[in-house]
Amino acid sequence: MIKLLALTAVLISVSEAQDPSNNVVDVSRIPCCILKDVNFAYGDIGSVPAIDTTDCVKKCNANEKCLSVTYNNGQCWMKDKRLGDSPRYEQGMQSLDMACVWPCNY
């Protein structure tokens, strides 16, 4: 299990990885951890209130089934699949795969 040492959010814009015809995001073209304006759609195992993305990641770390998260407006959606079932562009969402290694190195 990945341990969260310090979450200094690096938000990535996904405009270059987005297919405008269907809002699908090619996450393999995005080099880092927290994906801004991306919803890891489906694959939900539950949602819990969270203060921010950091809090959401901590809650996912506490659930052995949680492999990725999507955070928006105080709600943390935990996923049982890496990247959910279908990563999609959705303004305001922030998503993260728990396999990400912190901190991001640029």
Side-chain angles (χ1 to χ4, degrees), residues 7-12 30-36 40 94-106:
L7 181 60
T8 303
V10 176
L11 300 178
I12 307 303
I30 302 170
C32 204
C33 302
I34 295 179
L35 307 178
K36 181 181 178 186
F40 288 169
Q94 294 179 13
S95 294
L96 176 131
D97 187 306
M98 298 305 289
C100 178
V101 177
W102 292 96
C104 299
N105 294 315
Y106 283 92

Side-chain angles (χ1 to χ4, degrees), residues 46-50 56-57 59-60 69-72 74-78:
S47 66
V48 293
C56 184
V57 168
K59 291 176 180 191
C60 183
V69 296
T70 294
Y71 173 80
N72 187 39
Q75 202 64 24
C76 176
W77 297 92
M78 296 185 288

Side-chain angles (χ1 to χ4, degrees), residues 17-70:
Q18 178 186 353
D19 178 348
S21 67
N22 61 12
N23 280 344
V24 172
V25 175
D26 179 2
V27 293
S28 67
R29 296 184 57 204
I30 302 170
C32 204
C33 302
I34 295 179
L35 307 178
K36 181 181 178 186
D37 296 331
V38 173
N39 178 9
F40 288 169
Y42 312 109
D44 296 334
I45 56 175
S47 66
V48 293
I51 297 168
D52 55 21
T53 308
T54 301
D55 190 34
C56 184
V57 168
K58 288 178 183 177
K59 291 176 180 191
C60 183
N61 270 333
N63 184 328
E64 66 183 35
K65 293 180 182 177
C66 187
L67 299 177
S68 61
V69 296
T70 294

